[in-house]
């Protein structure tokens, strides 16, 4: 059984994962409108991934006797300046999500909820991967800068990454 405090914190994380899905969906649309098919595919896949993160939490809350809630979501921006800025936003977003997961883990410890603590370890590992992937892409885009030819090759690279990795 979840304590009220853990249930509230898990529902906040559900909202954040749903908002993450919306952020990446908006990035997919922005990239697609500019003809960057690879980046768009990567973002669509990443958006689905975030929905999966949200659903996994959602089902856990109900399984443990809580009530998973669907909240009103904050709308993401519809444009992102440049690809470099967009991937910086993605990286910053993932760092913020990792911090929230760590805060959640802290709450489970103070509440002595070891079942939820164990469940959240999956998210701790997932965030290590997500941050590493975002950092890797950001490093590449920082090398390219605004070079059009470089961006074209980068778009192809990201497409391959999406096919191999499903954007995880
Ligand atoms: Fe679900 Fe990208 O954190």
């Amino acid at each position: 059984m979840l304590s009220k405090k853990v249930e509230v914190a898990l529902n906040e994380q559900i909202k954040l994962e749903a908002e993450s899905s919306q952020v990446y969906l908006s990035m997919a649309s922005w990239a697609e409108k500019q003809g960057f098919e690879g980046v768009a595919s990567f973002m669509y896949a990443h958006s689905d991934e975030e929905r999966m993160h949200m659903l996994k939490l959602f089902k856990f809350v109900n399984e443990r006797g809580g009530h998973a809630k669907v909240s009103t979501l904050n709308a993401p921006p519809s444009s992102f300046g440049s690809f470099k800025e967009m991937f910086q936003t993605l990286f910053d977003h993932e760092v913020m999500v990792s911090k929230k997961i760590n805060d959640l883990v802290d709450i489970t410890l103070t509440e002595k909820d070891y079942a939820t603590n164990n469940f959240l370890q999956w998210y701790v590992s997932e965030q290590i991967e997500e941050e590493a992937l975002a950092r890797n892409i950001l490093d590449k885009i920082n090398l390219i800068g605004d070079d059009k030819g470089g961006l074209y090759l980068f778009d192809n690279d990201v497409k391959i990454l999406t096919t191999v990795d499903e954007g995880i």
Side-chain angles (χ1 to χ4, degrees):
M1 190 73 187
L2 297 173
S3 71
K4 203 67 208 164
K5 199 169 174 187
V6 171
E7 183 182 351
V8 167
L10 287 171
N11 267 312
E12 279 169 12
Q13 192 64 30
I14 285 171
K15 180 172 188 259
L16 181 60
E17 300 290 348
E19 283 177 343
S20 301
S21 180
Q22 299 290 83
V23 169
Y24 298 134
L25 191 60
S26 188
M27 287 178 174
S29 181
W30 186 76
E32 196 165 46
K33 290 295 286 174
Q34 294 177 79
F36 283 84
E37 202 189 309
V39 175
S41 304
F42 174 83
M43 292 300 181
Y44 278 123
H46 205 131
S47 174
D48 285 349
E49 192 68 21
E50 297 299 348
R51 180 171 160 78
M52 187 274 281
H53 294 173
M54 184 276 288
L55 275 177
K56 204 174 159 82
L57 280 158
F58 203 88
K59 289 179 178 162
F60 179 81
V61 169
N62 281 349
E63 258 171 36
R64 300 279 303 150
H67 186 177
K69 306 267 174 60
V70 177
S71 316
T72 306
L73 304 178
N74 290 315
S78 53
S79 63
F80 296 90
S82 65
F83 281 97
K84 191 175 158 176
E85 283 172 60
M86 184 174 76
F87 281 103
Q88 182 68 53
T89 302
L90 185 149
F91 177 71
D92 294 345
H93 187 86
E94 289 304 331
V95 170
M96 181 270 285
V97 172
S98 297
K99 190 183 172 311
K100 296 286 183 191
I101 294 286
N102 287 343
D103 292 347
L104 245 180
V105 170
D106 267 354
I107 292 170
T108 62
L109 289 177
T110 54
E111 293 288 295
K112 295 192 173 6
D113 182 346
Y114 301 114
T116 303
N117 183 279
N118 184 51
F119 167 79
L120 288 173
Q121 295 311 310
W122 183 86
Y123 286 85
V124 171
S125 308
E126 182 69 9
Q127 282 312 120
I128 294 171
E129 280 181 32
E130 295 235 327
E131 275 190 42
L133 178 64
R135 190 178 292 113
N136 188 291
I137 292 176
L138 194 56
D139 284 348
K140 279 190 186 164
I141 205 119
N142 278 331
L143 280 175
I144 296 163
D146 290 327
D147 177 67
K148 288 265 189 298
L151 280 174
Y152 177 80
L153 292 174
F154 170 78
D155 189 56
N156 270 316
D157 253 23
V158 171
K159 198 188 308 179
I160 292 162
L161 194 68
T162 308
T163 319
V164 172
D165 220 16
E166 303 246 317
I168 297 165

